[in-house]
Amino acid sequence: QEHPDSRIELQHNRPTLSILGLESGNVYTGTRSAIPGSASARIEMRLVKGLNATKMVDLLIAHIRAQGFHVLVKEPDMATRRNYPLIAQVTRGGGGGFPIAKTSMDNPIAAKAADAIRALDQRLVQMPTIGGSLPFATFSDTLALPSIGLAVVNFDNNQHAAHENIRVGHFWEAIDIFAALVTMQN
C-alpha cells in the first residue's frame, strides 16, 4: 500500500497505474528452457480531475523510451526487429474512459441527496470521487448539471471479477435509496 497512513477516501482520490495482466511464453509440462521472444501487458490508468489522459499516456510512452525501448504503435516488421534490440508496441485506448468530473459535496443538490439518504436511516459515506468509468463529465461539465455517484454494494462484492456479487439486503436498500432520490423535492 503506497500511503498506509492516509484515510481511504484520500486514497480513492489519487491517480493509479495498474498492471491488469502479463503474458509471456507458454507453460509446458516436463522440461523446456525456451526463452520467450516477447511479452505483453495490459495496463490501466485511473486519473483524477486536472490530469489529461492523452498527456499521461504520452508521459508513460516517454518513460518506456527512457528505458531504451523503440516504441511503435503497430506490430514491428523484420527490419525494425533487426535494427532495435528493445521494442515496445503501445496501443492506446481499448477501454475508452471518460473525462474526470466532480460535483462539490457542498452543492445544494448534493446536500439534499445526502439528506434524502440519511432520512432512510442509511449510513452515508461522502467522498469527492469514486473509482470507475462513468460519464459524469457529460452532466457536470458539458451540461453544467451536478452529478453524484452512488455505490450501494457490499464491500466484498468482488466487482468486475469472478464471483461478483451483491447481497440481497443491499439490493433492497438500493431500491429505497434510489426511490428517495428520484422523489426528492428541489
Side-chain angles (χ1 to χ4, degrees):
Q1 194 175 11
E2 196 172 312
H3 301 278
D5 297 330
S6 68
R7 297 183 343 231
I8 188 76
E9 68 270 20
L10 298 176
Q11 293 178 32
H12 280 281
N13 289 290
R14 290 194 173 97
T16 65
L17 177 69
S18 302
I19 299 172
L20 303 178
L22 293 172
E23 183 178 23
S24 179
N26 294 304
V27 178
Y28 298 99
T29 56
T31 58
R32 185 164 182 178
S33 59
I35 297 171
S38 66
S40 64
R42 181 170 178 259
I43 63 169
E44 171 186 78
M45 288 186 191
R46 296 265 174 141
L47 304 179
V48 295
K49 187 80 171 169
L51 294 180
N52 176 280
T54 301
K55 182 178 179 182
M56 293 299 104
V57 173
D58 289 344
L59 288 172
L60 175 63
I61 290 171
H63 176 74
I64 293 168
R65 282 192 176 111
Q67 308 314 303
F69 285 86
H70 178 69
V71 178
L72 302 170
V73 296
K74 61 181 181 175
E75 185 76 25
D77 59 20
M78 195 50 69
T80 303
R81 290 182 189 276
R82 286 186 188 113
N83 287 332
Y84 299 97
L86 299 173
I87 300 171
Q89 178 185 343
V90 177
T91 305
R92 292 176 185 257
F98 299 96
I100 294 89
K102 282 187 181 181
T103 296
S104 170
M105 289 186 285
D106 295 329
N107 179 288
I109 293 176
K112 284 182 183 185
D115 290 343
I117 294 168
R118 284 190 195 99
L120 296 171
D121 259 351
Q122 292 291 331
R123 254 187 30 209
L124 179 65
V125 177
Q126 288 180 271
M127 296 173 28
T129 265
I130 61 171
S133 297
L134 299 166
F136 289 129
T138 302
F139 300 98
S140 298
D141 298 347
T142 307
L143 300 173
L145 296 171
S147 60
I148 60 170
L150 186 60
V152 292
V153 296
N154 35 292
F155 74 94
D156 59 348
N157 68 346
N158 214 21
Q159 269 186 14
H160 310 310
H163 309 297
E164 180 174 2
N165 68 87
I166 183 170
R167 293 192 177 112
V168 173
H170 286 80
F171 180 71
W172 291 117
E173 289 172 357
I175 291 170
D176 291 339
I177 289 169
F178 284 107
L181 293 175
V182 169
T183 59
M184 73 181 195
Q185 300 297 313
N186 291 337

